[in-house]
Amino acid sequence: MEKSDRPYDIVVYGATGFTGRLVAEYLARHYGQEGPRWAMAGRSAAKLAEIRALIDAPKNTPLIVADAADPASLKAMVEQARVVITTVGPYQLYGEPLLAACIAAGTDYADLCGEPVWMRQMIDKYGEEAKRTGARICFSSGFDSIPFDLGVLMLQKEAVARFGRPAPRVKGRVRGMKGGASGGTAASLKATLAALGKDPSLIPLMQSSFCLTPGFEGPAQPAGDKVQHDDALDSWETPFIMAAINTKNVHRTNALLGHVWGSDFVYDEMVLTGPGDQGKAIAEHMAKTPMIGRPDDPQPGEGPSKEERETGFYDVLFQGQMPDGQTIRYGVKGRYDPGYGSTSRMIAETGIALLSAKAPGMVGTPGAILGEALVERLRTHAEISFAAE
């Protein structure tokens, strides 16, 4: 069946999970029956029907039973869809059968993966096949790593317009954020640590900023692993837990775009905590207090209340430094908590943007596959602002 003739534009796989339900709810509320033709998929028909009623989706929203343990069900699902959005992680435990099925069928794919070692393994295993079938595979289509991936992309566009060339050095700095890590994020971290424990040869991949750019190793990058003072921003800063995935995705976008920001590009991320003794004390406290990896981590399927999601936010500053000392600033700000409220909007809009994407098949990033087209969708529909400062 030709891709354009498939019955569904988008299938949300994992629609009965916490984040998958939010994605389905967003599509129902914002697009209803006027937008893309979409369906909900998961392991249980009864549970899917229950969620469809709970989120007040149209009663005729199709339901598809599919299970990662049943390859035939995955094949049947992806062959009916132009795009599959999957929230079923940890991806290193459950993701490969669906990924392989999408690539074989030439079906576009978006996930929320923040597991760089697994991502590298999938790039190596399926990268050439995705080029052959035309499947566009968008890893990390949520808070990790869209605001950072697209924030750098937009800063560099501004730098070229203003200075005639991209900035060879960019800092990503979280100025403010309210919202906890998801149960899925916590489970992914535990699965990654378990995988590294079983196979220590994977540790250098996890540590490398260029883990996702096979065949290319760029210059040394800042470690970002200790409290320090940023004189240019007059603020103390502390390590950012998501830098380990975001920085790798930013370098992959640069590589997939032909190193348009230079093969000497340097990028890091940290959290700003303010000036003076108070800023230093906050930075040191945050450095000793892990966001995830604690006994009280949320479990997969658990998440914050509607009020907590709606009162969350994030504010990220990108500062580009030019060789002559000039600087450029760009801000990305999102309403809703990053891990759920904003993430569910980001991956939904990634799925919709894939419907009209012009990029060739690849195992890539939202920045490389969708670029400014996704920025415009997020500005218009997801209450995320991208602006030069």
Side-chain angles (χ1 to χ4, degrees), residues 22-309:
L22 292 176
V23 175
E25 185 174 27
Y26 175 82
L27 289 172
R29 293 212 172 152
H30 290 262
Y31 295 99
Q33 293 176 305
E34 305 303 315
R37 299 162 299 161
W38 64 283
M40 298 165 58
R43 289 181 297 177
S44 163
K47 184 74 170 170
L48 285 166
E50 180 187 333
I51 296 297
R52 180 175 61 184
L54 280 172
I55 64 175
D56 205 22
K59 290 183 174 56
N60 61 351
T61 302
L63 307 178
I64 300 171
V65 175
D67 188 338
D70 178 2
S73 71
L74 295 181
K75 181 175 185 289
M77 177 181 74
V78 305
E79 288 177 349
Q80 297 180 77
R82 294 174 61 196
V83 176
V84 171
I85 290 173
T86 173
T87 60
V88 180
Y91 296 92
Q92 60 199 290
L93 300 182
Y94 308 116
E96 185 174 354
L98 176 62
L99 181 77
C102 283
I103 291 174
T107 301
D108 295 338
Y109 163 109
D111 72 16
L112 299 173
C113 189
E115 304 161 40
V117 172
W118 180 78
M119 291 160 62
R120 170 58 184 271
Q121 292 168 334
M122 297 302 99
I123 290 166
D124 291 344
K125 191 168 181 179
Y126 296 106
E128 290 304 314
E129 178 75 353
K131 289 179 188 176
R132 188 184 69 77
T133 66
R136 281 82 61 99
I137 305 299
C138 271
F139 287 142
S140 308
S141 304
F143 187 62
D144 48 346
S145 298
I146 279 179
F148 306 90
D149 186 20
L150 297 183
V152 174
L153 184 90
M154 296 304 289
L155 175 136
Q156 295 290 30
K157 181 189 177 188
E158 192 74 18
V160 170
R162 199 178 297 182
F163 303 122
R165 60 164 292 179
R169 169 76 172 106
V170 175
K171 298 177 180 179
R173 296 295 184 263
V174 178
R175 289 187 287 204
M177 186 169 75
K178 180 185 176 190
S182 71
T185 299
S188 291
L189 176 64
K190 288 170 185 170
T192 296
L193 293 174
L196 296 177
K198 275 189 203 166
D199 185 356
S201 71
L202 299 175
I203 292 173
L205 272 184
M206 188 70 190
Q207 292 173 331
S208 171
S209 297
F210 299 95
C211 164
L212 302 182
T213 60
F216 173 79
E217 191 74 27
Q221 304 287 310
D225 59 354
K226 63 179 186 298
V227 170
Q228 59 193 37
H229 189 267
D230 188 320
D231 296 337
L233 297 173
D234 188 28
S235 176
W236 287 91
E237 51 192 26
T238 197
F240 180 40
I241 190 169
M242 290 172 57
I245 178 63
N246 293 338
T247 55
K248 294 172 176 59
N249 275 318
V250 167
H251 285 297
R252 178 148 180 80
T253 293
N254 186 33
L256 290 171
L257 294 176
H259 290 108
V260 289
W261 310 330
S263 55
D264 59 347
F265 178 62
V266 176
Y267 176 70
D268 73 328
E269 293 176 359
M270 298 194 78
V271 178
L272 298 177
T273 58
D277 292 342
Q278 183 180 8
K280 184 179 182 183
I282 294 169
E284 290 174 343
H285 173 74
M286 289 178 66
K288 295 174 191 165
T289 311
M291 281 179 65
I292 53 178
R294 299 180 299 189
D296 61 346
D297 280 345
Q299 297 301 305
E302 293 180 353
S305 67
K306 186 170 187 286
E307 181 186 355
E308 288 169 328
R309 295 196 304 271

Side-chain angles (χ1 to χ4, degrees), residues 327-339:
T327 60
I328 181 170
R329 290 163 62 109
Y330 201 92
V332 177
K333 300 177 184 178
R335 192 182 159 201
Y336 308 109
D337 84 293

Side-chain angles (χ1 to χ4, degrees), residues 331-354:
V332 177
K333 300 177 184 178
R335 192 182 159 201
Y336 308 109
D337 84 293
Y340 293 96
S342 192
T343 279
S344 57
R345 288 161 169 79
M346 282 187 260
I347 194 170
E349 293 297 339
T350 298
I352 294 171
L354 280 166

